[in-house]
Amino acid sequence: MGVNIFLFVWYYFYYDLGDEFFYTRHLLGSALAWARAPAAVLNFNCMLILLPVCRNLLSLIRGSFMCCGRTIRKQLDKNLTFHKLVAYMIGLMTAVHMVAHLHGVVEQQQTGRIRQTEHSSVRAGGRREHLQIPTYFVFTTIAGLTGVVITLALILIITSSMEVIRRNYFEVFWYTHHLFIIFFAGLVFHGAGRIVRSQQNEKAHNFTFCKDRPEDWGLIPECPLPTFAGGFPKTWMWVIGPMFFYVCERLLRFVRFMQTVHYRKIVMRPSKVLELQLVKSGFKMDVGQYVFLNCPAISQLEWHPFTMTSAPEEDFFSVHIRSAGDWTDKLIDIIQQQSSWMGVDGPFGTASEDVFDYEVSMLVGAGIGVTPFASILKSIWYKFKEGNPKLRTRKIYFYWLCRETHAFEWFADLLCVLEKEMEERGMGHFLTYKLFLTGWDQNIADHAKVQVDADTDVITGLKQKTHYGRPVWDKEFEQIRKENPTSVVGTFLCGPEALGKVLEKKCAKYSEVDPRKTRFYFNKENF
């Protein structure tokens, strides 16, 4: 934001006070500065907009460079939030830039300033009459035509990016977002018309002396005719680097798409959850990472992110796909009927990669959001089984919130194995897990009351009983702080934004000011 403000103010005063733009300001008034300042901000933000969606570049920075500390990695995990903020700034500056230019053209038409300074207008381009008409300017100049194309593309991109469109009509969002190709093409050529012109001979033609003597221009040596020229287009210099990185990104995605992926196992879990166990040559992953999947039988362009549920120690990688829309419904139907070609791009890093960097970790999953924690818990099981001495984590608190009882079934087996493994090793204290059923009917509640004294839970078969309702987070955070009075606790969420805001506030509330005492660090999965 600071850079945006600096660029706007700097270029506003540059065009509002610069001697070489005196006659241009005389024609356009304040519209000149109000048009050029947003243009500078637009160049900067258009340089930034592509970088947050270069997933491979971000993963390289996040995972390969040891200089990336916890704070930097957390910022990288907010890449999509940054992408949206940059997009909002582009939309705002485009509106200001467009209105200012149109206002300048209208002002020329109404005041007749071009006729009053006829000599300079001829030197500036020789379009004395036609440029006074806004519609003629818009549809007959390079700047006008490309401006219309850019604006229409941007309107479609922004409107189709609204939450309601993304959630319910993802295909509309996906296809209209690729109008960015037209947007950037128009952006590069937008300045080729060089319509904003500055005086080139301001030293020979001193405007302070000559501005009130237009009848002497070209007749006396002190006032030669002013000459004008458009500025060299600079937008391409701002965007060429990010465009290169993005082209490399897409080429890498295509190469990965062409690599063969083999199906190891296909399982249809309860609650319409499809488990795919896949094998790909040279594929290496870490806990909590995700991949993008593409099914050409549905669409060759659509890629959707899925967190992997397998552990790095396994010789395959797996994803659990819940039926949640047209694309997932079609994928489940196709996979159940026949094994279709599957394109895989990734893996990519997320906040959950850092779970083993904390002595104490608090994992919160909502619904299918449990998937990254399945990978983490599996990896822990393998580490204990192999006696891995590098395991720094000494305590894990796991919370899973679900609406349906069937959703617990596919994950309960893993928890049962972990529960047994910890008890056999005398480490029953290592994993504390709580399952919360947020939706139930009276029959389930009555059955649970009858079985309240049973050794295992009536729903999951685990020793830990299922809780009915939502967690009281103040109570949970207070308990964790009490049990770990001098620890740094990493809080990880894969779930809805509303829950993320609640947990982030609780992390701040229950973190001690003294760095030697309990501190909570909030991390959230972002796709």
Side-chain angles (χ1 to χ4, degrees):
M1 180 58 72
V3 176
N4 284 320
I5 294 174
F6 171 78
L7 287 173
F8 190 95
V9 173
W10 175 272
Y11 279 95
Y12 180 88
F13 285 111
Y14 175 73
Y15 284 96
D16 194 52
L17 302 176
D19 292 348
E20 64 270 35
F21 296 104
F22 175 81
Y23 290 117
T24 310
R25 287 195 301 272
H26 185 68
L27 299 176
L28 303 177
S30 61
L32 173 66
W34 278 104
R36 300 312 302 160
V41 179
L42 276 170
N43 286 338
F44 175 68
N45 284 272
C46 289
M47 177 187 71
L48 298 177
I49 192 71
L50 289 178
L51 296 178
V53 292
C54 291
R55 300 190 292 261
N56 290 285
L57 177 63
L58 295 181
S59 290
L60 177 66
I61 296 173
R62 194 183 197 285
S64 299
F65 299 154
M66 300 305 294
C67 61
C68 278
R70 180 183 297 160
T71 302
I72 296 178
R73 291 199 301 271
K74 285 184 68 174
Q75 297 307 314
L76 291 175
D77 292 333
K78 297 178 181 179
N79 61 314
L80 293 184
T81 301
F82 180 74
H83 178 74
K84 293 175 185 177
L85 292 175
V86 172
Y88 295 150
M89 182 61 70
I90 289 176
L92 175 62
M93 290 298 104
T94 298
V96 176
H97 178 76
M98 177 182 65
V99 171
H101 266 310
L102 292 177
H103 174 72
V105 175
V106 171
E107 187 170 337
Q108 288 181 358
Q109 181 186 25
Q110 292 178 344
T111 62
R113 287 175 176 171
I114 292 181
R115 294 188 181 90
Q116 295 173 16
T117 56
E118 183 172 326
H119 289 292
S120 60
S121 70
V122 170
R123 295 289 185 183
R127 302 184 185 92
R128 245 178 332 190
E129 298 299 328
H130 296 306
L131 280 181
Q132 297 178 67
I133 305 173
T135 53
Y136 186 91
F137 166 78
V138 169
F139 293 107
T140 60
T141 62
I142 295 176
L145 286 172
T146 55
V148 170
V149 172
I150 291 172
T151 303
L152 290 177
L154 189 62
I155 290 173
L156 290 173
I157 290 173
I158 292 177
T159 54
S160 64
S161 299
M162 293 187 297
E163 187 75 15
V164 64
I165 301 294
R166 280 204 325 273
R167 295 294 181 187
N168 299 300
Y169 306 98
F170 184 84
E171 292 82 2
V172 175
F173 159 76
W174 180 263
Y175 289 115
T176 54
H177 231 61
H178 280 75
L179 290 172
F180 82 92
I181 299 173
I182 297 176
F183 175 85
F184 273 92
L187 192 68
V188 169
F189 289 103
H190 185 59
R194 305 189 183 192
I195 62 168
V196 177
R197 306 189 175 212
S198 60
Q199 185 182 341
Q200 300 298 296
N201 62 338
E202 64 269 19
K203 291 184 179 180
H205 178 101
N206 190 332
F207 72 90
T208 56
F209 176 78
C210 302
K211 64 180 180 180
D212 297 322
R213 298 175 173 82
E215 67 280 357
D216 294 331
W217 289 4
L219 300 178
I220 59 177
E222 293 83 359
C223 294
L225 288 174
T227 57
F228 297 85
F232 182 74
K234 297 180 180 179
T235 300
W236 67 272
M237 297 180 183
W238 289 83
V239 300
I240 189 67
M243 289 174 68
F244 172 77
F245 282 120
Y246 190 78
V247 169
C248 292
E249 172 84 14
R250 297 306 291 256
L251 288 174
L252 183 56
R253 292 184 197 179
F254 178 75
V255 171
R256 286 177 170 172
F257 169 74
M258 296 303 295
Q259 293 175 338
T260 304
V261 178
H262 300 284
Y263 290 90
R264 183 179 183 272
K265 192 175 182 180
I266 300 173
V267 182
M268 194 65 200
R269 299 290 185 179
S271 299
K272 296 190 72 176
V273 174
L274 174 68
E275 178 185 358
L276 295 179
Q277 294 184 8
L278 306 171
V279 178
K280 184 178 180 181
S281 178
F283 188 90
K284 295 181 180 180
M285 62 164 288
D286 201 352
V287 293
Q289 291 187 325
Y290 68 98
V291 293
F292 274 79
L293 299 184
N294 170 268
C295 182
I298 302 174
S299 171
Q300 295 205 1
L301 296 178
E302 288 188 46
W303 292 80
H304 294 264
F306 296 94
T307 306
M308 288 179 287
T309 54
S310 52
E313 293 81 0
E314 295 174 315
D315 59 356
F316 63 91
F317 65 97
S318 63
V319 293
H320 284 70
I321 302 171
R322 178 173 60 90
S323 175
D326 294 340
W327 192 88
T328 51
D329 288 341
K330 292 176 182 177
L331 178 66
I332 291 173
D333 291 339
I334 290 173
I335 295 297
Q336 286 182 312
Q337 295 173 8
Q338 60 181 354
S339 297
S340 177
W341 173 275
M342 185 71 68
V344 177
D345 185 24
F348 302 107
T350 65
S352 296
E353 277 186 283
D354 301 331
V355 67
F356 294 135
D357 292 341
Y358 296 90
E359 291 184 356
V360 180
S361 292
M362 179 182 180
L363 314 179
V364 183
I368 199 67
V370 74
T371 49
F373 308 133
S375 173
I376 292 168
L377 295 176
K378 281 183 182 180
S379 184
I380 289 173
W381 181 79
Y382 279 107
K383 291 181 190 301
F384 276 113
K385 188 176 179 180
E386 299 169 0
N388 191 329
K390 296 182 180 180
L391 183 61
R392 180 184 176 187
T393 306
R394 58 177 179 80
K395 180 68 177 178
I396 286 184
Y397 297 88
F398 173 57
Y399 299 84
W400 189 13
L401 289 66
C402 246
R403 294 179 181 178
E404 301 174 345
T405 57
H406 296 298
F408 289 119
E409 295 178 15
W410 70 271
F411 196 63
D413 293 340
L414 172 60
L415 289 176
C416 186
V417 171
L418 279 171
E419 196 174 56
K420 183 179 179 181
E421 183 76 19
M422 299 304 169
E423 287 184 358
E424 290 178 353
R425 294 179 178 273
M427 299 186 65
H429 64 281
F430 178 84
L431 175 64
T432 297
Y433 64 91
K434 295 183 179 181
L435 310 182
F436 291 85
L437 184 62
T438 58
W440 70 91
D441 56 31
Q442 192 60 40
N443 292 332
I444 296 176
D446 293 339
H447 188 49
K449 290 178 181 178
V450 173
Q451 302 290 332
V452 69
D453 295 326
D455 294 335
T456 58
D457 184 66
V458 64
I459 295 176
T460 63
L462 298 166
K463 291 185 178 181
Q464 174 67 48
K465 299 300 180 68
T466 299
H467 300 265
Y468 295 87
R470 300 183 182 277
V472 180
W473 291 114
D474 286 302
K475 179 181 176 182
E476 301 299 333
F477 274 85
E478 184 62 44
Q479 180 182 350
I480 294 174
R481 184 171 66 174
K482 183 177 179 181
E483 294 177 359
N484 306 274
T486 60
S487 298
V488 175
V489 182
T491 304
F492 297 86
L493 168 69
C494 188
E497 191 68 34
L499 180 57
K501 292 179 180 178
V502 172
L503 293 180
E504 190 170 14
K505 290 180 181 178
K506 300 302 179 186
C507 285
K509 178 180 178 181
Y510 288 93
S511 291
E512 300 284 357
V513 177
D514 189 345
R516 295 170 296 179
K517 295 184 178 181
T518 308
R519 296 185 67 83
F520 292 87
Y521 286 90
F522 179 72
N523 303 270
K524 185 182 183 301
E525 301 289 319
N526 293 286
F527 299 106

